[in-house]
Amino acid sequence: MATKKKQVAKKKQAGSTVKVALLGFGTVGSSVARVLAASKFPGIELTHIFNRDVQRKRTSAAAKAVPASVIWTENIDDILNSKAEVVVELMGGLNPVEGWLRKALASGKSVVTANKQLIAYRGANLAKLAAANNVHLVYGAAVAGGVPVIPGMLQGLGGDQATRLSGILNGTCNYILNRMEGGADYTTVLADAQQLGYAEADPSADVDGFDARAKLCILSRIALHAELDPDAVTTQTISTIEAIDFTYAKELNCTIRQVSQAERNGKAVHARVAPMLVPLSSPMAWSHGTQNMVVVSGRFGGDVVFSGHGAGGEPTAVAVVSDLLAVAQDCSAVQLPIRKREVTDEFMAPHYLRFVVDDKPGIVSAIAGALAKVGANIDSLLQTPGHPKHRLPFVVTTEPSLTSTIEKAMKAIAKLDCMLEKPLCLQILVADDKPE
C-alpha cells in the first residue's frame, strides 16, 4: 500500500487535486480562504472548514470567498474522518489542538500550521510523528508572518553554520515602541494597538515577551540546530519603558526595540527576549510599525537579514498558502541535526540603568559604589534638565559587564532610600556582544 505522502505526489502527477481542510476561520483563516479563491491555484481544493460557532462564521462577509461546495463544521471528527489530505491549523494554543493534529498526522494527513506555541513546545515530537507516517509538518508562518524566515533558513542557509541570531519578532511590541519613540506614552499606545487589533485584550503574551520567546525557540531549532525549553528562556516586559527612556536613548545614538537573541557557545545557548537599546546604525533600528526583522550570522556566509510585515491576516496567509503549495507538490524540507541544549541568559554587554530619585547628595557615589562592589564600571552619566529635584530621572551606562553582575548590583541599588521606583536595566545591543 502506498504511503499517503506518495499518494499525494501521484495524484498531482495525474492532474488530480489535493483536498484541504481548514481549522479556524478567524483573521488568518479567512485570509487564507480569500487568497486561495483569488489565486485559483491548480491542484488545491478547499473541502472543509472547522470553527466553533460555525454558523456565525459561515454567514460572515469573509465567507463570501469560500466555494459553495465547502463543508462547514464544528465537529472535529468531520475533519479527522474526511478525505482531506492536508489539515491547515490556524487556531493557536496547545490544547485541544495538539491532540487533533496528532490524530491527523497519525491518520496520514499532512499538517500546515502557524501555531508558534505548539511548534515551540511540541514541534520536535510532532515532526517525528509526521516522519513516522510519511507525511509533512510545515510551519513557515509560525514566525514573522509573511516574511519567509523559516524556509529561507532551511533552504537558503542550511549549508552554513549559523552561530547567532537576533531580531524583532513581535509586531505588536514594535508598533508600541515606535509610537513611544515619537513621544506617546505606553498606556495610550497599548490602547490604540488593542483597538487596531494588533494587541489582545490581555496583551501579556506580546508585551511580556512570551510570543517572541516561542518564535526565538523555533528559529534556534532551525538556525542553531538547538532544541530549547521555552520556559528556560528569560523574558523582560516592555511595559516598564517610559518616554524619558527614548530621550536618553537618543542621546546615546540609540532607540529601543524588543530584541530576541540567541547564540551558541559550546554546548549552551545564550538566549533572552527583552527591550534593549539598539544603535541607530543597526538594521533593527530601521524596523517600523508592525515589521519583523531577523539577522542570522553564519560562520561562512556572514550576516543575512530578513525583513517585512510580520503581522496581519494577508501577510500570514501568504506564508500559509506557500507552505500548502509545497506540501501539495510533495516538496521535502531540509533535514538538519538537532540537539537539546541548556539555556542561559548570561551576556557580556554594556547596560543602560535608569533611576528615578528624590535628589540628595551622595546618590551617584552610592550607585557607583554598588557597581564597583560587583566589579562593574560606569561608562557615562546622563541627566536631562527640566525635571523636579524631588522626582529626578537620570541614567548611568556601564562598560561591558555580565548580565548577572549588573542584576546583582541593581538589587542593592533598589534598596537605597532615595529610589522612588524600581530602577530600569536594559542591555545595550552592540555588534560584538558576546556571551560568557
Side-chain angles (χ1 to χ4, degrees):
M1 182 176 178
T3 63
K4 181 64 103 177
K5 189 173 179 181
K6 291 180 180 177
Q7 288 173 353
V8 170
K10 187 175 181 180
K11 280 187 176 184
K12 184 63 182 173
Q13 292 170 2
S16 299
T17 59
V18 174
K19 294 179 173 59
V20 178
L22 186 61
L23 304 189
F25 198 73
T27 301
V28 178
S30 60
S31 294
V32 167
R34 187 162 57 251
V35 171
L36 290 174
S39 301
K40 297 182 173 63
F41 295 107
I44 302 288
E45 180 188 359
L46 180 61
T47 61
H48 293 74
I49 294 176
F50 168 89
N51 204 94
R52 297 182 182 89
D53 192 11
V54 71
Q55 190 57 34
R56 179 175 60 85
K57 292 291 185 178
R58 189 174 186 175
T59 56
S60 66
K64 293 179 180 179
V66 177
S69 60
V70 169
I71 297 171
W72 294 75
T73 182
E74 53 187 25
N75 183 350
I76 192 61
D77 289 334
D78 291 341
I79 304 296
L80 298 175
N81 297 328
S82 73
K83 293 183 179 180
E85 294 142 299
V86 184
V87 173
V88 178
E89 185 273 308
L90 302 170
M91 300 183 68
L94 293 178
N95 294 312
V97 169
E98 180 186 0
W100 295 344
L101 295 189
R102 284 187 176 279
K103 290 179 180 179
L105 291 168
S107 68
K109 300 181 190 296
S110 290
V111 168
V112 172
T113 179
N115 191 331
K116 51 192 167 285
Q117 296 295 337
L118 180 72
I119 297 303
Y121 282 92
R122 307 284 192 264
N125 288 333
L126 290 174
K128 291 178 182 177
L129 181 59
N133 288 278
N134 296 300
V135 291
H136 298 277
L137 171 68
V138 192
Y139 46 87
V143 178
V147 186
V149 175
I150 289 177
M153 286 182 177
L154 284 171
Q155 305 297 135
L157 299 179
D160 203 350
Q161 293 180 14
T163 57
R164 172 183 174 140
L165 62 92
S166 57
I168 295 169
L169 301 179
N170 185 275
T172 299
C173 287
N174 209 47
Y175 170 81
I176 291 172
L177 293 173
N178 271 199
R179 286 279 308 277
M180 292 180 68
E181 189 175 16
D185 68 274
Y186 173 81
T187 303
T188 300
V189 179
L190 175 59
D192 289 346
Q194 290 169 323
Q195 186 173 8
L196 291 167
Y198 295 153
E200 301 290 339
D202 177 1
S204 58
D206 293 318
V207 301
D208 295 339
F210 306 133
D211 173 86
R213 178 177 69 180
K215 296 172 182 176
L216 181 65
C217 290
I218 294 171
L219 294 184
S220 295
R221 183 184 302 147
I222 297 168
L224 305 179
H225 308 170
E227 184 73 26
L228 308 182
D229 175 6
D231 293 331
V233 177
T234 295
T235 63
Q236 182 179 346
T237 185
I238 70 164
S239 62
T240 54
I241 305 297
E242 299 179 6
I244 188 63
D245 296 310
F246 284 95
T247 300
Y248 283 122
K250 187 175 181 180
E251 288 195 31
L252 295 166
N253 293 315
C254 292
T255 188
I256 300 173
R257 297 286 186 265
Q258 184 199 58
V259 177
S260 303
Q261 58 178 350
E263 184 167 356
R264 276 276 302 276
N265 184 24
K267 295 182 179 180
V269 172
H270 300 253
R272 69 186 294 124
V273 176
M276 300 181 189
L277 265 70
V278 176
L280 296 177
S281 58
S282 168
M284 279 186 280
W286 311 339
S287 182
H288 296 286
T290 59
Q291 281 187 313
N292 280 195
M293 179 173 289
V294 179
V295 182
V296 184
S297 301
R299 177 183 175 186
F300 302 110
D303 290 349
V304 177
V305 180
F306 298 88
S307 178
H309 293 289
E314 291 190 346
T316 306
V318 168
V320 171
V321 173
S322 297
D323 283 348
L324 180 56
L325 290 171
V327 170
Q329 296 177 25
D330 203 38
C331 298
S332 296
V334 174
Q335 300 298 316
L336 299 170
I338 300 171
R339 292 184 179 181
K340 288 187 177 181
R341 299 289 181 182
E342 293 298 319
V343 182
T344 174
D345 63 356
E346 196 79 284
F347 282 86
M348 174 69 77
H351 289 76
Y352 165 100
L353 315 178
R354 189 253 294 155
F355 309 100
V356 179
V357 301
D358 180 7
D359 195 20
K360 59 185 66 175
I363 291 178
V364 173
S365 176
I367 291 172
L371 290 167
K373 190 174 181 179
V374 298
N377 296 320
I378 291 177
D379 181 61
S380 66
L381 192 151
L382 295 83
Q383 181 179 320
T384 59
H387 297 279
K389 294 290 186 179
H390 66 274
R391 190 171 182 82
L392 181 68
F394 73 97
V395 164
V396 168
T397 65
T398 73
E399 295 179 359
S401 304
L402 290 176
T403 308
S404 60
T405 297
I406 298 299
E407 289 175 348
K408 185 177 180 180
M410 291 297 279
K411 289 180 180 179
I413 294 171
K415 296 177 182 178
L416 296 176
D417 292 340
C418 59
M419 293 294 156
L420 300 179
E421 58 185 60
K422 184 179 179 180
L424 176 68
C425 175
L426 303 179
Q427 183 179 319
I428 302 175
L429 190 70
V430 295
D432 57 352
D433 282 354
K434 297 295 180 185
E436 287 291 331

